[in-house]
Amino acid sequence: MTGQVNDPVKEVESAREAFEREFERFARFTSEAGGGLSSLKDAESELRGLAELRVRHAGKKSAIAAAKKLIGRVPAEQRASFGQLVQTAEAHITDSVNAAELALKTFIETARTARESIDVTIPGRRPRAGHLHPITLMRQRIEDIFVSLGYAVEDDREIETDFYNFDALNIPEGHPARDPQDTFYTTQGHALRSQTSTVQIHAMQRRGAPVRMIAPGRVFRRDTPDPTHNPMFYQVEGLCVDRGITMAHLKGTLAEFVHRLFGPETRTRFRPSYFPFTEPSAEVDYSCFNCSGDGCRICKWSGWIELGGSGMVHPNVLRAAHVDPEEFTGFAFGLGIDRTCARIYELDDIRLLFENDVRFLEQFR
Ligand code: DAH
């Protein structure tokens, strides 16, 4: 019977030694604080290694499990002491593994808690607040003034037919404005609007007369970009049609506008001009907001700054929009938003307004 077994005591001792050798690297976790563990991932992998060690040395197929089966087979007089030896060895293995496991789990728990905790004293990260574009700011200032004068704000299409672009605005065939050199034509009979005056027609058709509206928006011209030109820019169109409207109303309205935009001391000046859609027509200037007319860099030493074009709506334009010129008269005007913007902020290159470089735009918060 004992022939099957070499020396059961030796078997147990070598099992214990084998465990001791493998367990050595886990022992440190119970001794030192953290046992030199550097990370949560580290500890988790050690814990898996420890579980495998437990299976190998205390599992069903371990040497200790085999030794236990021998207890009944050793001679009776040795049985008690051998049984004691096996139990002690098994208890030592289990206790050692349990202790290391507890240490690792404690480390892992602590590390997870630390990872999930937040430091409420760290200053928050402030999102970068956006702000409006200088052209938008200027457009809103202009809109506010005209809305307070009883004008509606119209928004309309940027691609127009020849009718709205030219015919209805009394621009005859062969007029230079129709030249493909100046206008972006798209498909046959359509073009990007080259002025917001097109909206006059839409507004009168939609609203009839009387009507008071402004139309801010983009316009397009085939210009080569340079410091004072861009193929896309912004205008505000204005239209006021009613019974008995005269040039005096035009002058009063634009004078009031520049008073509100630049200050009550601002003066206006009307110079005779020509536009196909107005008769008579005038260019409007205002006294320089910087030097009040004395002459400075901003007004190029003239004392005056150009505001835009204006005039009394041509009867042909009223007719094209089905408004009776015998009953109604009106005035209209067109101003450049970006041009005014560039003037106020002393930009020496209008293209800065369209490049959208944040280093430039940030200055207009
Ligand atoms: N549309 C003109 C331009 O782009 C500006 C203008 C002049 C508009 C006279 C008007 C006006 O409504 O009456 O230069």
Side-chain angles (χ1 to χ4, degrees):
M1 182 191 117
T2 48
Q4 292 173 304
V5 177
N6 300 332
D7 181 345
V9 172
K10 276 213 171 111
E11 293 284 317
V12 174
E13 275 167 359
S14 78
R16 201 175 153 146
E17 278 160 24
F19 167 76
E20 223 63 67
R21 274 194 304 278
E22 279 195 53
F23 183 71
E24 209 185 310
R25 47 183 289 256
F26 295 102
R28 63 198 165 105
F29 301 142
T30 43
S31 49
E32 311 154 34
L37 285 163
S38 58
S39 69
L40 181 57
K41 248 176 91 185
D42 238 26
E44 285 167 340
S45 115
E46 293 291 0
L47 189 62
R48 283 192 296 274
L50 187 65
E52 286 161 18
L53 181 93
R54 186 198 289 278
V55 171
R56 267 198 310 283
H57 292 276
K60 283 194 194 105
K61 291 176 186 162
S62 64
I64 284 294
K68 261 174 152 174
K69 287 182 192 144
L70 294 178
I71 294 174
R73 301 210 213 158
V74 295
E77 67 275 16
Q78 295 164 21
R79 198 168 290 156
S81 71
F82 181 69
Q84 189 72 49
L85 181 77
V86 174
Q87 256 178 29
T88 314
E90 188 184 30
H92 170 70
I93 293 172
T94 322
D95 290 351
S96 305
V97 173
N98 284 350
E101 190 182 71
L102 181 69
L104 279 171
K105 284 186 170 166
T106 306
F107 178 89
I108 289 170
E109 182 62 29
T110 311
R112 283 195 182 141
T113 309
R115 191 181 60 182
E116 285 157 16
S117 71
I118 48 165
D119 182 351
V120 294
T121 66
I122 291 175
R125 253 180 258 161
R126 194 188 288 270
R128 271 167 61 119
H131 59 93
L132 295 175
H133 191 280
I135 291 181
T136 307
L137 293 171
M138 180 56 67
R139 194 200 72 214
Q140 291 180 342
R141 283 173 68 183
I142 296 171
E143 285 177 3
D144 284 351
I145 294 171
F146 281 105
V147 165
S148 77
L149 294 175
Y151 283 68
V153 179
E154 289 276 345
D155 185 24
D156 223 294
R157 64 214 79 183
E158 292 174 350
I159 298 177
E160 281 292 2
T161 60
D162 279 347
F163 174 76
Y164 290 98
N165 251 333
F166 307 119
D167 302 319
L169 289 170
N170 199 37
I171 300 172
E173 295 280 348
H175 189 279
R178 295 198 183 220
D179 193 333
Q181 294 259 321
D182 298 325
T183 303
F184 287 108
Y185 284 94
T186 58
T187 48
Q188 188 61 41
H190 292 82
L192 300 182
R193 67 179 180 194
S194 55
Q195 49 187 356
T196 45
S197 302
T198 53
V199 187
Q200 290 184 25
I201 311 301
H202 291 294
M204 282 191 279
Q205 287 182 339
R206 250 198 311 270
R207 296 168 177 268
V211 62
R212 248 183 294 177
M213 68 91 196
I214 58 162
R218 268 186 281 256
V219 299
F220 308 85
R221 288 183 197 174
R222 295 188 60 172
D223 283 326
T224 307
D226 69 26
T228 55
H229 292 89
N230 199 62
M232 185 278 288
F233 57 101
Y234 286 81
Q235 288 187 332
V236 191
E237 192 73 14
L239 175 72
C240 170
V241 174
D242 206 336
R243 294 175 186 89
I245 294 292
T246 70
M247 194 108 186
H249 297 110
L250 168 64
K251 293 181 82 171
T253 301
L254 291 182
E256 180 63 18
F257 170 69
V258 296
H259 288 171
R260 299 221 195 159
L261 193 58
F262 301 112
E265 66 291 341
T266 315
R267 285 161 289 129
T268 48
R269 154 175 109 168
F270 288 72
R271 289 179 284 118
S273 185
Y274 171 78
F275 297 101
F277 32 86
T278 42
E279 180 59 35
S281 304
E283 300 272 357
V284 190
D285 301 331
Y286 59 95
S287 55
C288 179
F289 53 80
N290 187 52
C291 64
S292 314
D294 295 343
C296 69
R297 221 164 46 83
I298 290 178
C299 58
K300 304 209 181 74
W301 308 102
S302 75
W304 295 94
I305 298 173
E306 219 179 280
L307 182 65
S310 68
M312 299 306 293
V313 181
H314 197 288
N316 288 349
V317 174
L318 296 174
R319 260 182 231 114
H322 308 297
V323 172
D324 181 2
E326 299 302 324
E327 186 180 359
F328 292 99
T329 51
F331 65 79
F333 55 87
L335 326 171
I337 302 183
D338 19 39
R339 222 172 35 165
T340 307
C341 222
R343 204 61 92 128
I344 287 179
Y345 296 120
E346 289 187 62
L347 309 179
D348 46 21
D349 194 328
I350 200 156
R351 290 172 294 185
L352 285 166
L353 290 168
F354 307 112
E355 283 164 355
N356 288 336
D357 183 332
V358 284
R359 290 168 302 178
F360 168 74
L361 295 178
E362 267 169 358
Q363 302 171 51
F364 299 90
R365 275 171 196 287

